[in-house]
Amino acid sequence: MIPLFDPVALGLYVLGYIAMFIVAATVAPKLASSVSGRLTLFGAMALTAVLIILTTAFVIYLIAIVALPSLGAYGVGFFMGLIFFVVLMNLLTYLASPFMINAAYGARPDPRLQQIVDEVAARLGAPFKIKAVVVDGPPNAFAYGNFLSGRHVAVTSSMLAITDRRELEAVVGHEIGHHLHRDNAIMLLFGVLPSILYYLGVTSVRMAMASSGSRNNNAAALAAVGVLAVVVSFLVQLLVLAFSRLREYYADTAGAKAAGKEAMQFALAKIHKFYFSNPEAHEAVRGEKFRALFIYALVNAVANPFVTVTRSDVEAIKRSSYSVFEEVFATHPPIPKRLKFLDELQL
């Protein structure tokens, strides 16, 4: 592994972030706006997935053709071992995370919520059992689990308090949608690809520096490919975030199918209003380790809070402004875009 405070890794990390910010501020918004409206949700997900996979494969191929001829069998084993190690660490995190979540949030069964989850799961045709748990915290919900722990849908106690039956069914439907779409496993797969590129890139630069005095090694080319891999790893991360946002739209379709488009919209609007009328809750969730799991991930327009949510409130949120720059770095789409998406959804 790369040593702590390694100046090479730190420098490449900063370079990658600079590249990501430049692309996020210039290319990404223009590209997204030019593509939006031309593709269906499924088409956008497919295109993004293909871009992630092909970009990652191409950079790994470049590293292979530059590094391996000069490193021989040692190079093959080393790079394959590095990839295996990165994948293994992410897999172990995936397997352990449900137990960590249960412990961190004090997840506990709830018969009433379990009944709702069972009914919505049957409505959506879920072929597996889903465990319903209540956790403490401001209004939110999330799906998690794997084959070791089973599938879970967690809803906070405050979410239960602010939603009516249909809105809660929509929220639960959204989370069951994540299970039906296998989002935990899919995002694990795509999430590990930028890490592989980053560590391959940093390692390539370090190996090039170590062998720069040898005539048998193409040190300059290896260093150049390594830098390219690091920069591309950050750009692939932007694509992974875009893919995550698309999966949230996909989960919203399940919530709308379970309880209706209006119930899904009202549930999202209620969560949105709660956080912007309670800044302390907003900050608490912003600091959560597992916030990417939440139905609401704090990348939203700022609007005046309402005590209750009506159709006019939903329409007001749709017209709210939001930062496109911030959206590019988010796992979730802004609430106004999600509400508009639900309007256009054909069930």
Side-chain angles (χ1 to χ4, degrees), residues 33-117:
S33 61
S34 65
V35 172
S36 62
R38 301 181 186 179
L39 294 174
T40 64
L41 175 61
F42 293 102
M45 285 192 292
L47 176 61
T48 307
V50 169
L51 286 174
I52 292 170
I53 294 171
L54 290 183
T55 303
T56 302
F58 177 69
V59 174
I60 292 176
Y61 172 74
L62 281 181
I63 292 175
I65 62 174
V66 171
L68 298 186
S70 57
L71 296 175
Y74 167 78
V76 175
F78 181 83
F79 281 111
M80 291 302 296
L82 181 59
I83 293 174
F84 174 78
F85 181 78
V86 173
V87 172
L88 178 62
M89 289 299 100
N90 280 268
L91 180 60
L92 291 177
T93 301
Y94 169 72
L95 294 176
S97 61
F99 305 101
M100 297 166 60
I101 290 171
N102 285 338
Y105 289 99
R108 53 196 181 274
D110 183 275
R112 172 178 171 262
L113 180 60
Q114 185 66 61
Q115 181 182 5
I116 294 173
V117 168

Side-chain angles (χ1 to χ4, degrees), residues 186 221 223 321 326:
I186 289 173
S321 60
E326 185 182 13

Side-chain angles (χ1 to χ4, degrees), residues 1-3 6-9 12 200-212 222-223:
M1 286 297 292
I2 299 165
D6 180 356
V8 173
L12 291 172
L200 283 177
V202 172
T203 303
S204 295
V205 172
R206 291 182 59 81
M207 294 178 73
M209 293 174 63
S211 62
S212 59
L222 184 58

Side-chain angles (χ1 to χ4, degrees), residues 56-221:
T56 302
F58 177 69
V59 174
I60 292 176
Y61 172 74
L62 281 181
I63 292 175
I65 62 174
V66 171
L68 298 186
S70 57
L71 296 175
Y74 167 78
V76 175
F78 181 83
F79 281 111
M80 291 302 296
L82 181 59
I83 293 174
F84 174 78
F85 181 78
V86 173
V87 172
L88 178 62
M89 289 299 100
N90 280 268
L91 180 60
L92 291 177
T93 301
Y94 169 72
L95 294 176
S97 61
F99 305 101
M100 297 166 60
I101 290 171
N102 285 338
Y105 289 99
R108 53 196 181 274
D110 183 275
R112 172 178 171 262
L113 180 60
Q114 185 66 61
Q115 181 182 5
I116 294 173
V117 168
D118 290 343
E119 291 177 6
V120 174
R123 202 176 300 162
L124 292 175
F128 38 69
K129 176 68 176 177
I130 300 172
K131 302 174 185 177
V133 296
V134 174
V135 298
D136 295 321
N140 239 315
F142 53 94
Y144 65 100
N146 53 50
F147 65 92
L148 292 179
S149 65
R151 297 174 177 86
H152 294 73
V153 164
V155 180
T156 62
S157 53
S158 50
M159 173 70 88
L160 296 175
I162 69 169
T163 52
D164 63 24
R165 172 69 183 232
R166 296 297 289 177
E167 293 162 356
L168 181 57
E169 288 178 352
V171 169
V172 167
H174 173 102
E175 302 308 334
I176 291 176
H178 280 306
H179 284 305
L180 289 171
H181 307 151
R182 297 178 175 85
D183 283 334
N184 284 336
I186 289 173
M187 292 312 302
L188 168 72
L189 171 64
F190 284 100
V192 76
L193 297 180
S195 296
I196 290 174
L197 289 180
Y198 176 78
Y199 284 107
L200 283 177
V202 172
T203 303
S204 295
V205 172
R206 291 182 59 81
M207 294 178 73
M209 293 174 63
S211 62
S212 59
S214 173
R215 297 179 180 178
N216 297 324
N217 291 317
N218 191 352

Side-chain angles (χ1 to χ4, degrees), residues 273-336:
K273 293 302 180 183
F274 176 90
Y275 281 102
F276 282 103
S277 60
N278 295 274
E280 67 283 355
H282 191 280
E283 291 305 314
V285 174
R286 186 184 297 278
E288 287 283 356
K289 285 184 179 180
F290 300 104
R291 62 185 178 275
L293 296 171
F294 297 153
I295 191 173
Y296 180 89
L298 304 178
V299 179
N300 304 279
V302 178
N304 293 326
F306 298 94
V307 176
T308 59
V309 172
T310 65
R311 172 49 60 181
S312 63
D313 299 332
V314 173
E315 295 302 321
I317 296 175
K318 291 179 193 175
R319 296 190 296 270
S320 300
S321 60
Y322 55 88
S323 169
V324 176
F325 183 76
E326 185 182 13
E327 180 191 358
V328 172
F329 292 99
T331 57
H332 289 51
I335 291 292

